[in-house]
């Protein structure tokens, strides 16, 4: 249980859920502890079942069937279970042993039952658990070779209607539907293992169609249904390898399925995974279908993807280039893709030509793919063309005027020992933008202030902020940077930023306010005016005394 601590629980749940979990410690019951896991019932608005993994790679993880937990959150009920386990740390080894003993006793009891007694027990469970009944019905149908029965059960398991409220499967019900759909995949896969692969091919295709029809009606945030689709595609490939269907028919089906899949992203079937099944005849048919489709729609995403995959598999770099060149994006991104393909193929001169063409064919350099600029600058530097790299960075900065473009210009210009001159020109452009009140930096602030802060030129940044304005986030950074040398200026900023927070509520606000108060205290210490701070914080505590969480946080920091 080394990964379970109060700090980890708070980090995992967040301050709000953690503090709310403190109020549910008396509501935890039925705790069961195993090796690395624990379950319990927590009574809140309703009765919730919680399960906690104690030593996960990212700290504690868990599952709760409360509404907040069903959305994938680490809720207050999980916090309550975690804190309960920490409080019972000394007794956990005994509880683990008790859980193992119970499992052993249950297994021994079951082993001692007669066949008739076991059948009676199973029949009772079948009557109470519909999911168990369906799983056993599928196994029975498979064992007796009842293909019609399996087909009917597969259709039933992929029927979304019992889970759909108002025609849609909500997140809370999606997991149960995905589990049920997974049973259909298992049943189909079992057909291949029992020598009925041809039937399995037919059923996987029908299941894919049914799954595609309902996929848009399911909230698959957890990806459970997506995994079912992937498993279904794997089952189809396995069945095809066992049954060896007609290669030309298979090629036509794979082509159509791949086009649909690439649009929906459901089963993610790759026709090239079937090369060993298709053979020469099937691959010839597949190539013909893909080429005809691409020629009929050279800008279609699915058609381009399939054509590129076939060309790459064949090592046909010129066809790969032709596929991309037929649908060039206006920001130079496709030119960059082509350049990288040509470089990988050992054709650097052509690669450079395509990259430079991407710049020329971008109508507005402010919209160019930054990765293309980075690519070209790297190639220029590698070829000893540093002035060309600086010129490109300068042009890109002039068009975009962002902090990132400024940083990139600075890095490249420093490599050629010309940053002093480049900086002056760049700051002139940013100063003109700031004077026109043209934001574009962090949080909508002035890029000029951002750039000067990034240069660690606090004096110039403060002057720019004073003359042309700055965002509060920038003022805070400025105050932090000048506090040691200009505590009075920094104090004025901190006091102004703290004032609106005193009228707000919430733990996040309180944390911000305390950070500012600590900075205010430091400024008064530097100014040798501790009494002024004492007067200020005393008045603040008196006016905000009803905010108990704030008071506690201030106490923790000695404020």
């Amino acid at each position: 249980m080394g990964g379970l601590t109060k700090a980890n629980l708070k980090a995992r749940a967040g301050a709000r859920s953690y503090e709310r979990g403190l109020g549910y410690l008396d509501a935890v019951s039925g705790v069961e502890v195993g090796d690395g896991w624990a379950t319990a019932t927590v009574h809140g608005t309703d009765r919730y079942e919680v399960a906690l993994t104690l030593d996960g790679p990212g700290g504690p993880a868990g599952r709760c069937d409360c509404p907040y937990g069903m959305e994938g959150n680490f809720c207050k009920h999980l916090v309550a279970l975690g804190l309960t386990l920490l409080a019972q740390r000394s007794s956990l080894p005994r509880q683990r042993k008790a859980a193992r003993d119970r499992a052993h006793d249950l297994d021994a009891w079951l082993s001692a039952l007669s066949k008739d007694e076991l059948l009676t027990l199973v029949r009772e469970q079948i009557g109470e658990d519909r999911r168990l009944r369906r799983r056993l019905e599928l196994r029975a149908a498979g064992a007796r070779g009842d293909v019609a029965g399996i087909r009917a059960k597969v259709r039933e398991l992929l029927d979304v209607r019992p889970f759909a409220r108002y025609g849609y499967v909500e997140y809370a019900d999606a997991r149960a539907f995905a589990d049920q759909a997974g049973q259909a995949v298992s049943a189909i896969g079992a057909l291949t293992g029992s020598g009925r692969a041809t039937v399995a091919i037919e059923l996987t295709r029908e299941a894919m169609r049914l799954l595609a029809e309902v996929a848009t009606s399911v909230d698959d945030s957890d990806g459970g249904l997506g995994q079912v689709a992937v498993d279904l595609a794997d089952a189809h490939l396995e069945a095809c390898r066992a049954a060896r269907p007609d290669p030309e028919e298979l090629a036509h089906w794979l082509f159509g399925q791949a086009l649909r899949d690439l649009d929906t992203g459901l089963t993610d079937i790759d026709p090239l995974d079937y090369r060993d099944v298709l053979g020469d005849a099937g691959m010839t048919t597949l190539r013909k279908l893909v080429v005809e489709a691409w020629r009929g729609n050279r800008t279609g995403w699915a058609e381009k993807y399939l054509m590129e995959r076939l060309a790459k598999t064949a090592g046909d770099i010129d066809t790969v280039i032709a596929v991309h060149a037929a649908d060039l994006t206006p920001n130079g991104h496709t030119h960059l893709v082509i350049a990288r393909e040509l470089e990988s193929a050992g054709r650097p001169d052509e690669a450079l030509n395509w990259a430079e063409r991407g710049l020329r064919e971008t109508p507005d350099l402010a919209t160019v793919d930054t990765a293309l600029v980075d690519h070209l600058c790297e190639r220029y530097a590698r070829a000893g063309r540093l002035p060309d790299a600086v010129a490109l960075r300068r042009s890109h900065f002039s068009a975009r005027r962002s902090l990132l473009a400024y940083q990139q210009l600075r890095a490249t210009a420093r490599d050629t020992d010309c940053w002093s001159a480049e900086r002056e020109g760049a700051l002139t452009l940013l100063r003109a933008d700031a004077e026109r009140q043209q934001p574009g930096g962090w949080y909508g602030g002035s890029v000029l202030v951002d750039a000067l802060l990034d240069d660690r030129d606090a004096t110039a940044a403060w002057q720019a902020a004073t003359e042309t304005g700055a965002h509060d986030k920038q003022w805070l950074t400025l105050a932090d940077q000048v506090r040691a040398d200009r505590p009075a200026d920094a104090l004025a900023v901190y006091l102004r930023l703290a004032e609106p927070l005193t009228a707000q509520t919430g733990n996040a606000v309180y944390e911000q306010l305390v950070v500012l108060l600590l900075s205010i205290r430091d400024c008064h210490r530097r100014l040798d005016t501790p009494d002024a701070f004492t007067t200020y914080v005393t008045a603040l505590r008196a006016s905000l005394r009803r905010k108990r969480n704030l008071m506690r946080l201030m106490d923790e920091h000695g404020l």
Side-chain angles (χ1 to χ4, degrees):
M1 205 177 76
L4 183 66
T5 64
K6 289 183 179 181
N8 283 347
L9 282 173
K10 189 171 185 178
R12 188 71 178 82
R16 180 175 175 81
S17 287
Y18 181 83
E19 294 205 8
R20 296 182 70 184
L22 293 172
Y24 281 79
L25 297 181
D26 294 334
V28 180
S29 64
V31 177
E32 292 190 16
V33 181
D35 294 325
W37 58 267
T39 60
T41 299
V42 180
H43 297 270
T45 307
D46 207 336
R47 181 176 178 272
Y48 301 118
E49 299 299 323
V50 296
L52 192 62
T53 301
L54 306 180
D55 297 312
R63 185 176 68 253
C64 178
D65 58 4
C66 73
Y68 188 62
M70 290 296 288
E71 292 177 0
N73 299 297
F74 199 94
C75 65
K76 59 190 177 185
H77 308 111
L78 286 166
V79 171
L81 173 56
L83 292 173
T84 299
L85 293 173
L86 289 172
Q88 300 174 355
R89 185 186 294 270
S90 61
S91 67
L92 292 184
R94 176 177 54 79
Q95 293 184 58
R96 287 196 184 97
K97 182 179 183 304
R100 286 194 292 268
D101 290 344
R102 286 194 300 271
H104 178 270
D105 291 345
L106 177 60
D107 185 67
W109 175 71
L110 289 171
S111 298
L113 293 177
S114 67
K115 176 182 176 181
D116 289 340
E117 289 172 326
L118 282 172
L119 284 173
T120 300
L121 181 62
V122 170
R123 286 173 182 138
E124 288 177 358
Q125 292 302 308
I126 289 174
E128 297 174 2
D129 189 336
R130 185 173 67 170
R131 293 176 62 191
L132 174 61
R133 173 176 58 79
R134 284 177 168 174
R135 285 200 298 270
L136 295 179
E137 286 173 346
L138 270 173
R139 290 191 180 187
R144 65 176 181 269
D146 182 4
V147 174
I150 294 176
R151 176 179 281 106
K153 286 299 175 185
V154 166
R155 289 173 177 168
E156 183 181 353
L157 290 170
L158 293 175
D159 185 358
V160 78
R161 288 175 296 179
F163 299 87
R165 303 175 185 177
Y166 313 109
Y168 187 77
V169 181
E170 303 287 349
Y171 177 87
D173 300 310
R175 182 184 303 167
F177 176 65
D179 289 345
Q180 180 173 294
Q183 297 171 30
V185 180
S186 298
I188 294 171
L191 288 171
T192 299
S194 62
R196 291 186 287 275
T198 301
V199 177
I201 292 173
E202 182 184 342
L203 284 182
T204 50
R205 295 184 183 184
E206 181 175 358
M208 287 178 191
R209 178 181 58 78
L210 293 172
L211 206 59
E213 290 175 359
V214 304
T216 56
S217 302
V218 180
D219 180 353
D220 193 34
S221 300
D222 275 349
L225 196 60
Q227 185 58 51
V228 170
V230 172
D231 293 342
L232 195 55
D234 291 341
H236 181 266
L237 177 57
E238 183 182 356
C240 286
R241 283 176 172 157
R244 295 288 166 174
D246 177 75
E248 293 194 12
E249 185 279 332
L250 178 60
H252 277 86
W253 183 87
L254 287 170
F255 171 72
Q257 184 68 23
L259 285 182
R260 288 189 293 272
D261 261 3
L262 289 168
D263 285 335
T264 63
L266 189 59
T267 54
D268 198 24
I269 277 186
D270 187 345
L272 295 182
D273 288 340
Y274 291 75
R275 278 175 291 183
D276 58 324
V277 182
L278 289 168
D280 292 340
M283 286 299 296
T284 298
T285 299
L286 181 63
R287 288 190 191 95
K288 180 181 178 182
L289 291 169
V290 171
V291 170
E292 288 177 353
W294 176 68
R295 286 175 177 170
N297 183 16
R298 293 176 187 257
T299 61
W301 189 87
E303 289 83 353
K304 287 193 301 181
Y305 175 79
L306 289 173
M307 189 68 185
E308 181 187 357
R309 287 279 289 122
L310 280 174
K312 282 188 173 182
T313 301
D316 185 357
I317 185 65
D318 290 317
T319 297
V320 172
I321 302 309
V323 170
H324 291 299
D327 186 27
L328 296 171
T329 55
N331 68 345
H333 173 74
T334 317
H335 298 78
L336 175 59
V337 172
I338 292 173
R340 287 172 172 166
E341 293 286 356
L342 287 166
E343 283 209 348
S344 297
R347 294 156 64 173
D349 293 340
E350 292 175 76
L352 183 59
N353 287 336
W354 268 101
E356 291 178 329
R357 177 180 164 183
L359 278 184
R360 292 194 303 271
E361 294 183 359
T362 300
D364 182 0
L365 200 57
T367 65
V368 74
D369 186 347
T370 302
L372 175 60
V373 177
D374 295 341
H375 177 88
L376 273 170
C377 287
E378 181 185 341
R379 297 310 178 273
Y380 289 155
R382 189 187 301 170
R385 297 170 55 184
L386 287 174
D388 289 337
V390 173
L392 177 53
R393 290 295 190 194
R394 184 192 311 122
S395 298
H396 186 228
F397 169 76
S398 297
R400 183 160 289 189
R401 310 267 249 279
S402 67
L403 176 61
L404 176 60
Y406 180 85
Q407 292 167 329
Q408 291 170 327
L409 172 60
R410 180 178 62 200
T412 304
R414 279 178 173 169
D415 289 340
T416 58
D417 297 323
C418 64
W419 174 230
S420 179
E422 292 294 335
R423 181 176 188 259
E424 184 177 348
L427 291 178
T428 297
L429 291 175
L430 293 180
R431 191 167 288 106
D433 288 343
E435 289 171 352
R436 292 196 302 271
Q437 298 296 306
Q438 185 172 323
W442 294 339
Y443 317 106
S446 161
V447 181
L448 174 63
V449 174
D450 285 340
L452 292 168
L453 283 170
D454 200 64
D455 282 340
R456 290 291 176 181
D457 191 346
T459 300
W462 188 280
Q463 182 178 351
T466 302
E467 293 174 352
T468 63
H471 190 277
D472 282 349
K473 298 279 187 180
Q474 294 172 320
W475 276 116
L476 179 59
T477 303
L478 277 166
D480 290 341
Q481 287 195 11
V482 306
R483 186 167 70 204
D485 299 322
R486 298 163 59 181
D489 289 335
L491 176 61
V493 173
Y494 293 137
L495 288 170
R496 180 178 64 80
L497 296 178
E499 180 60 30
L501 296 181
T502 61
Q504 301 175 35
T505 59
N507 289 337
V509 172
Y510 300 154
E511 289 171 3
Q512 293 178 49
L513 181 55
V514 166
V515 170
L516 287 172
L517 291 174
L518 292 172
S519 297
I520 291 170
R521 182 173 66 183
D522 184 59
C523 288
H524 278 293
R525 181 184 61 80
R526 294 175 185 276
L527 292 167
D528 197 22
T529 54
D531 292 343
F533 176 73
T534 300
T535 301
Y536 169 77
V537 81
T538 300
L540 189 67
R541 291 184 70 102
S543 64
L544 302 179
R545 63 184 180 277
R546 295 184 182 277
K547 298 180 178 180
R548 289 176 293 178
N549 285 350
L550 174 59
M551 294 297 104
R552 184 172 67 251
L553 197 59
M554 291 177 68
D555 289 340
E556 290 175 2
H557 289 83
L559 293 169

